[in-house]
Amino acid sequence: MIKSEIYINSLSQYIDSIIEMKNSRYPEEGKSVLWFRGHRNYEWSLIPSLFRGSGKNITVDKRGYTSLNLRESLRQQQNHAKNYQFLKNDNLNPIEWMAVAQHHGVKTRLLDWTTSAIHALLFALEDKFAMNGEFKDENNLPCIWCLFPQRMNRDTIGSLLYQKDEIRKIISHKELYGTLELETFLDNAYENKDGKYTDIFLESEEPEDEHLNYLYNLAHFEELLAVVERRPDIAYNGGLINPLYYILDKIYGNGIGIEKLNLSPLAIIHPYHSERIKAQQGVFTIFPNLIVENENLSDVADMRKSDSIRKHLNRIVIQSPGKVAEELKALGTHRSWLYPEEPIVCQEIENGL
């Protein structure tokens, strides 16, 4: 079994570690997907920016609206007002807005990851490359976090459905034709009466689908669930909507707070709404709006400190960052891989990169 923490001194060791991780961590599951996140300092936390420094006692009202919902809404209003000329034709839903704003410094419930191990390494070593093309050899210890997103999501969904009585609180009884189907879904998933139930709603058993299972696109759910608002009878009875998608969107997309619900983050794929997200091969983990009393939210939301999440994480610590950065540079890797905007590309033209 691969160790949860690995130390490397060269680019070749980094690549070998990732290959071993993919082949050894969950060999019984076939095609394991790995996501990566590069940190310039191995001591940095794995906490979404909106949750950093939020203190204690995140409150919730009877509708599930939390003080974090308010913080998120205030930012969305400002962004929509001040960037309207860029957003008016995009018609972004809240999840799409979140991903775009995140990449420009707005605090959100999202944490960025990438599907590319090399891009994550470049993030971790980015401070080694000066804007003038010169190399910096500063003393810090970078790292790459490696996440098995499907395995984490599978555990999250299992825990979620086990708490069916709490989940019922998010089902709107105004949806006269949809409530019964959601109730039945929860009961069957909890009791596992039907042997084919998992195959229909949760995962595909086809080997060619192994790399697709348990990776959710909340932005797509938002589009599908617009049907629920108009005609829930058709959406559910006609088989257009997976009930699990409704539940995930309510909790993670809308960020409804449920006081007694114990939840982990969800790994999500996302539309490439900008050249930067596309260049970085960006994916995300998203937290629900957590409810905490007498605890620091930063501790509750730190993925490093959760036993249920930590088992799906590996950390690769770079002991010789200068050497690895020089190896990356020799292979032609540069900052415009991360930031494809014209100013960065122009600087690299002048620097001979």
Side-chain angles (χ1 to χ4, degrees), residues 9-144:
N9 291 286
S10 68
L11 182 57
S12 62
Q13 287 181 346
Y14 176 66
I15 294 170
D16 289 343
S17 296
I18 290 171
I19 292 172
E20 182 184 357
M21 201 183 302
K22 283 182 68 70
N23 293 337
S24 305
R25 185 66 181 268
Y26 298 116
E28 74 281 3
E29 294 190 9
K31 301 175 185 176
S32 292
V33 172
L34 261 178
W35 290 359
F36 309 92
R37 179 176 170 85
H39 280 185
R40 294 196 299 272
N41 188 324
Y42 82 105
E43 294 182 336
W44 287 355
S45 64
L46 286 172
I47 305 173
S49 55
L50 187 67
F51 292 175
R52 296 170 196 165
S54 292
K56 302 179 180 180
N57 296 324
I58 305 302
T59 56
V60 59
D61 76 352
K62 63 182 180 180
R63 300 166 300 163
Y65 195 87
T66 75
S67 49
L68 285 170
N69 281 110
L70 178 60
R71 297 191 70 203
E72 189 171 270
S73 175
L74 292 173
R75 285 163 171 79
Q76 186 170 356
Q77 292 172 53
Q78 291 281 331
N79 186 69
H80 186 269
K82 296 177 180 178
N83 288 309
Y84 183 73
Q85 72 273 28
F86 304 115
L87 302 175
K88 62 181 179 180
N89 295 321
D90 288 344
N91 196 28
L92 301 181
N93 62 44
I95 291 294
E96 292 172 308
W97 163 81
M98 215 179 287
V100 173
Q102 165 91 355
H103 273 262
H104 295 285
V106 177
K107 294 181 179 180
T108 73
R109 291 183 281 122
L110 296 172
L111 194 64
D112 298 85
W113 298 77
T114 174
T115 57
S116 166
I118 295 299
H119 283 66
L121 185 60
L122 185 54
F123 271 118
L125 299 173
E126 185 182 356
D127 65 334
K128 305 293 184 232
F129 297 90
M131 296 300 288
N132 62 2
E134 295 179 357
F135 174 73
K136 295 182 185 178
D137 190 7
E138 298 176 353
N139 293 321
N140 61 1
L141 208 56
C143 76
I144 310 296

Side-chain angles (χ1 to χ4, degrees), residues 123-339:
F123 271 118
L125 299 173
E126 185 182 356
D127 65 334
K128 305 293 184 232
F129 297 90
M131 296 300 288
N132 62 2
E134 295 179 357
F135 174 73
K136 295 182 185 178
D137 190 7
E138 298 176 353
N139 293 321
N140 61 1
L141 208 56
C143 76
I144 310 296
W145 285 100
C146 307
L147 172 69
F148 287 86
Q150 293 164 295
R151 185 78 177 215
M152 184 186 76
N153 277 359
R154 192 173 72 178
D155 286 359
T156 296
I157 298 303
S159 172
L160 178 70
L161 296 177
Y162 188 76
Q163 303 172 78
K164 65 169 187 172
D165 291 337
E166 297 303 319
I167 296 301
R168 291 184 199 279
K169 296 176 181 178
I170 70 172
I171 298 174
S172 172
H173 293 285
K174 293 180 181 178
E175 294 169 4
L176 300 178
Y177 297 97
T179 301
L180 179 60
E181 285 75 13
L182 289 166
E183 296 270 4
T184 302
F185 167 80
L186 286 170
D187 288 338
N188 287 342
Y190 178 80
E191 297 171 10
N192 197 24
K193 288 181 179 178
D194 186 346
K196 293 293 182 182
Y197 200 78
T198 297
D199 306 343
I200 295 172
F201 292 110
L202 304 183
E203 64 182 271
S204 168
E205 285 193 331
E206 297 296 331
E208 65 185 15
D209 297 340
E210 288 177 343
H211 65 295
L212 303 175
N213 282 327
Y214 292 100
L215 295 176
Y216 302 109
N217 182 346
L218 289 182
H220 182 58
F221 293 177
E222 291 281 340
E223 296 173 5
L224 289 176
L225 292 170
V227 178
V228 177
E229 301 299 326
R230 295 193 298 268
R231 290 296 302 275
D233 54 332
I234 295 176
Y236 289 109
N237 295 333
L240 298 178
I241 298 294
N242 182 334
L244 177 64
Y245 297 171
Y246 175 92
I247 293 169
L248 292 179
D249 185 67
K250 284 289 187 181
I251 294 173
Y252 291 96
N254 295 339
I256 290 178
I258 305 176
E259 199 158 9
K260 296 181 181 179
L261 195 62
N262 181 23
L263 282 176
S264 297
L266 193 72
I268 61 171
I269 57 177
H270 200 80
Y272 288 163
H273 278 297
S274 70
E275 286 300 316
R276 180 178 291 193
I277 296 176
K278 184 175 182 179
Q280 296 174 4
Q281 299 183 39
V283 286
F284 303 92
T285 49
I286 184 170
F287 270 88
N289 274 318
L290 300 170
I291 313 301
V292 298
E293 291 184 10
N294 302 316
E295 293 181 272
N296 284 317
L297 182 60
S298 293
D299 291 333
V300 176
D302 192 341
M303 294 176 67
R304 303 173 306 164
K305 298 181 179 181
S306 167
D307 291 337
S308 62
I309 302 171
R310 192 165 52 234
K311 62 185 178 181
H312 306 309
L313 285 168
N314 285 59
R315 181 167 61 177
I316 300 176
V317 180
I318 306 170
Q319 291 183 303
S320 304
K323 177 176 181 285
V324 177
E326 287 285 17
E327 291 173 335
L328 271 181
K329 192 173 181 180
L331 293 178
T333 308
H334 43 80
R335 292 181 72 245
S336 63
W337 286 25
L338 303 179
Y339 312 109

